[in-house]
Amino acid sequence: MSSRILVIALLACSFGARADFRVFACEPEWADLVRALVPEANITVATNAWQDPHYIEARPSLIAAMRNSDLAVCTGASLEAGWLPALIQRAANSRIAENREGLFYAASYTHLHQPHDHVDRSMGDVHPEGNPHFHLNPHAVPEVMDGLVKRLPQVAPAEEIKVMRALHLRWKMRWEQSQEHWETLMPDLRGMKVVVQHSSFDYLLRYAGIEAVLDLEPKPGLPPTPSHLNRVLNDPRLADASVIVISPYQDPKPAQWLAERAGLPVLVLPTTLTEEEETDTLPELITYILTSLSNFNPKQNAVSAVNGH
Ligand SMILES: [Zn+2]
């Protein structure tokens, strides 16, 4: 009898008072949303800003994390088609499977742009669902957050979600404040034209009234080729662009090649959260991207030059 009480006491000590809620986030942006609702969640993030989220290796550590998780939060819309199905299969976690509560696809909660325009290199075909990089769409993120708020009570211990609704309200208020701030940046961004490499920033560019006039990828999802770069160099639309935007996980050489010949700067912008303070939450990341872009708007520079004299 007394030994049984001792065992229970030891268990209570070693595991703490609260049940552990384990989450597998395919990308850092979804970890950020989960953390905002359940700050104590134990989250494993599969990718980082220096990795291409389309092509992740199903490493043993990721399989183990998936096996031990209560919930997986991923983008869906075939973004992870090259690696997530294998990961789920090898983890063999009965809670996390297609059509189970433990597998949350953010794409199910928002409307995607440009269906039929997203090619996956490994599969060599077109993703019918549309552009899956909607975590940089200021209108889409609150919709995903609403979906998470509905899903969490089904998969998380009751004590973990006690304050979830209050935290959701706080998050929504902060998001709205951020949107107000982004609106103030718009005059410095609208009408700007940029060269991109992939559709990662499309939603945010559109939101800000920025046009991606050319893409270094010959087709969505395919890496730049010399012949395509030559076509870009000779395209009259290049004259309107003020900057070439690429991501930290992309080879900078094609952008640098074009930059030297076209006399354009290259701007490397993270497509997801980093450990750096200015980009370690989703609202801060969006602010950082918009602010960085505004520094390359020629209209903006013309105004500062006039003011400087
Ligand atoms: Zn993509």
Side-chain angles (χ1 to χ4, degrees):
M1 192 68 180
S2 60
S3 67
R4 198 171 162 191
I5 291 167
L6 182 67
V7 168
I8 291 168
L10 282 173
L11 281 174
C13 288
S14 56
F15 294 110
R18 53 171 68 240
D20 203 7
F21 178 48
R22 291 175 184 268
V23 178
F24 183 100
C26 282
E27 290 85 24
E29 51 268 26
W30 309 136
D32 186 45
L33 297 195
V34 173
R35 210 174 287 122
L37 295 171
V38 188
E40 301 293 324
N42 184 339
I43 309 177
T44 299
V45 189
T47 57
N48 63 50
W50 289 268
Q51 294 177 312
D52 184 341
H54 307 79
Y55 308 103
I56 298 300
E57 207 188 317
R59 302 189 297 277
S61 60
L62 291 182
I63 296 166
M66 178 70 91
R67 184 171 296 143
N68 295 322
S69 289
D70 304 295
L71 171 70
V73 182
C74 297
T75 299
S78 302
L79 175 70
E80 303 100 344
W83 55 278
L84 186 59
L87 198 59
I88 290 173
Q89 196 195 357
R90 288 163 72 182
N93 177 345
S94 60
R95 287 163 301 194
I96 298 175
E98 294 296 330
N99 302 315
R100 296 295 304 267
E101 285 81 12
L103 182 54
F104 179 94
Y105 285 126
S108 306
Y109 297 87
T110 185
H111 172 75
L112 306 191
H113 290 163
Q114 297 161 306
H116 310 292
D117 199 19
H118 206 83
V119 177
D120 183 295
R121 226 181 300 172
S122 61
M123 300 179 60
D125 65 10
V126 173
H127 296 180
E129 301 96 329
N131 182 345
H133 305 292
F134 53 84
H135 66 288
L136 295 179
N137 178 356
H139 302 300
V141 176
E143 297 172 336
V144 174
M145 197 58 156
D146 287 346
L148 259 183
V149 168
K150 289 197 188 92
R151 182 68 62 90
L152 283 170
Q154 301 173 42
V155 291
E159 61 192 290
E160 294 285 359
I161 54 163
K162 257 188 282 184
V163 291
M164 185 187 70
R165 294 202 183 273
L167 292 177
H168 182 212
L169 277 180
R170 189 174 76 170
W171 181 90
K172 280 212 281 201
M173 267 171 56
R174 285 188 180 161
W175 191 264
E176 279 161 23
Q177 282 166 0
S178 300
Q179 273 188 300
E180 283 166 22
H181 176 54
W182 300 331
E183 290 296 329
T184 67
L185 302 172
M186 293 302 153
D188 294 341
L189 295 165
R190 261 190 208 118
M192 193 179 167
K193 293 180 169 63
V194 299
V195 177
V196 296
Q197 180 171 337
H198 199 61
S199 54
S200 311
F201 298 105
D202 263 19
Y203 290 94
L204 190 53
L205 295 178
R206 197 179 293 207
Y207 174 81
I210 300 172
E211 191 186 347
V213 284
L214 288 160
D215 195 322
L216 300 187
E217 292 183 333
K219 277 182 180 163
L222 298 180
T225 58
S227 62
H228 179 68
L229 287 175
N230 264 307
R231 272 198 299 277
V232 171
L233 181 61
N234 292 307
D235 193 304
R237 286 172 292 179
L238 188 62
D240 300 328
S242 48
V243 64
I244 304 167
V245 182
I246 62 168
S247 308
Y249 62 80
Q250 290 169 328
D251 178 3
K253 287 192 206 84
Q256 282 162 356
W257 182 92
L258 183 68
E260 279 166 26
R261 281 152 188 85
L264 285 174
V266 177
L267 176 60
V268 183
L269 289 175
T271 55
T272 187
L273 317 197
T274 74
E275 307 273 296
E276 301 291 319
E277 209 178 309
E278 49 193 354
T279 51
D280 67 356
T281 67
L282 205 36
E284 284 167 312
L285 174 68
I286 291 175
T287 300
Y288 179 80
I289 293 171
L290 294 178
T291 309
S292 303
L293 283 165
S294 71
N295 293 331
F296 288 90
N297 190 349
K299 280 193 297 186
Q300 179 58 1
N301 294 337
V303 172
S304 5
V306 167
N307 290 345
H309 280 280

